[in-house]
Amino acid sequence: MKPLGKLRLGVNIDHVATVRNARGGDTPDPLRAARLAEEAGADGITAHLREDRRHISDADIEGLMQVLKVPLNFEMAATDEMQRIALRHRPHAVCIVPEKREERTTEGGLEVAREENRLAHFIAPLREAGCRVSIFIAADARQIEAAHRIGAQVIELHSGAYCDAHHEGRFDDRDRELEALREMSRFAHSLGLEVHVGHGLTYDTVQPVAAFPEVMELNIGHFIIGEAIFRGLAPAIHEMRRLMDAARAPAQA
């Protein structure tokens, strides 16, 4: 199968806000990071407004909507408060993610199959407002089928287990997780869903996933922002873009 188009890179700027909030004040500025990422070739910006506002703030979302030229992917929990914020701003995309206040980051995919009716009603107004609705889920056929039934246009497959296994040297587990991502990308595409992948991707793990022809977008944040400390943000993004393009090139030939 030939790739369905250019593989897009979404850069998550939450971690810039984490550093700002650790000290207080206005710096480093997530909006500046978003603009620099945009200039460096990011195809979109991702920001996760959490219920406890631990990093991205309401003012950040408002500012991003005003300054960005590329699409904003607004990650949020399926709560009434977050729905109201999304309906007020109407970002290009809304990605529904699970959220536990005690976790440092999003540790797993959303349980769609158990909450199908609630989530179907939750996302309907978002779709009517013109937002593309994405559901962040594990590479599991049951969850993908449920996401399709509730009317999501996009799924984002959680790549954390694959990345963790690689970096911990559990290579048999890594290969099993990678194969699950590959198979579920194909399955989701066969249902008419657009496929994205994200969580934990690094220079060492991005290429096998980038090579999947069904995948249209990768969302990467923590690694890029961390690498920017040493390289600068633009060079860190350029290197990720280079690796993604190189992985896609053989299939495009």
Side-chain angles (χ1 to χ4, degrees):
M1 175 181 174
K2 291 185 178 180
L4 302 173
K6 178 191 174 186
L7 181 59
R8 301 189 299 269
L9 172 60
V11 175
N12 187 318
I13 59 164
D14 292 0
H15 311 287
V16 177
T18 298
V19 175
R20 175 195 63 193
N21 295 357
R23 178 73 179 261
D26 299 326
T27 59
D29 181 6
L31 271 64
R32 183 181 179 193
R35 289 192 297 267
L36 288 170
E38 189 177 63
E39 292 169 5
D43 300 292
I45 297 298
T46 293
H48 182 178
L49 184 66
R50 285 182 173 265
E51 292 179 86
D52 62 5
R53 309 305 198 266
R54 71 182 66 171
H55 37 62
I56 292 294
S57 70
D58 297 72
D60 293 331
I61 296 298
E62 186 170 346
L64 289 167
M65 289 297 300
Q66 292 174 359
V67 305
L68 284 181
K69 296 182 177 67
V70 297
L72 174 64
N73 176 34
F74 180 36
E75 285 191 1
M76 63 182 221
T79 66
D80 291 342
E81 179 196 23
M82 292 299 151
Q83 186 190 64
R84 287 193 298 271
I85 293 169
L87 291 174
R88 182 167 73 249
H89 291 297
R90 300 190 181 192
H92 169 79
V94 171
C95 184
I96 312 301
V97 301
E99 185 170 314
K100 298 176 185 174
R101 293 186 184 238
E102 66 272 17
E103 68 184 3
R104 293 185 180 180
T105 184
T106 306
E107 299 294 355
L110 192 67
E111 175 53 66
V112 188
R114 281 205 305 260
E115 297 190 78
E116 202 168 313
N117 187 58
R118 183 180 78 87
L119 289 170
H121 285 91
F122 181 84
I123 70 171
L126 299 169
R127 287 199 56 172
E128 291 170 7
C131 301
R132 295 195 74 198
V133 175
S134 174
I135 308 289
F136 187 66
I137 54 177
D140 178 87
R142 180 168 166 262
Q143 302 300 333
I144 293 170
E145 289 170 341
H148 180 249
R149 284 193 298 269
I150 68 173
Q153 296 132 300
V154 182
I155 59 157
E156 182 168 338
L157 295 177
H158 189 300
S159 51
Y162 155 66
C163 294
D164 289 346
H166 175 84
H167 293 297
E168 292 166 10
R170 295 182 287 109
F171 298 127
D172 288 344
D173 291 342
R174 174 200 65 187
D175 293 345
R176 280 192 292 272
E177 294 293 342
L178 183 64
E179 185 57 29
L181 289 168
R182 179 183 290 109
E183 290 181 4
M184 291 303 101
S185 296
R186 291 172 181 161
F187 177 60
H189 172 65
S190 75
L191 296 178
L193 292 163
E194 183 172 311
V195 182
H196 301 176
V197 179
H199 199 84
L201 293 168
T202 68
Y203 294 153
D204 292 334
T205 56
V206 71
Q207 289 195 298
V209 176
F212 298 165
E214 298 85 2
V215 174
M216 296 296 293
E217 181 172 305
L218 301 179
N219 284 299
I220 306 173
H222 184 266
F223 178 80
I224 285 177
I225 300 305
E227 193 69 11
I229 295 171
F230 305 103
R231 292 176 181 245
L233 185 55
I237 291 172
H238 291 159
E239 178 61 8
M240 188 63 77
R241 177 83 263 170
R242 183 190 70 79
L243 292 167
M244 289 166 57
D245 290 345
R248 204 75 164 203
Q252 290 176 333

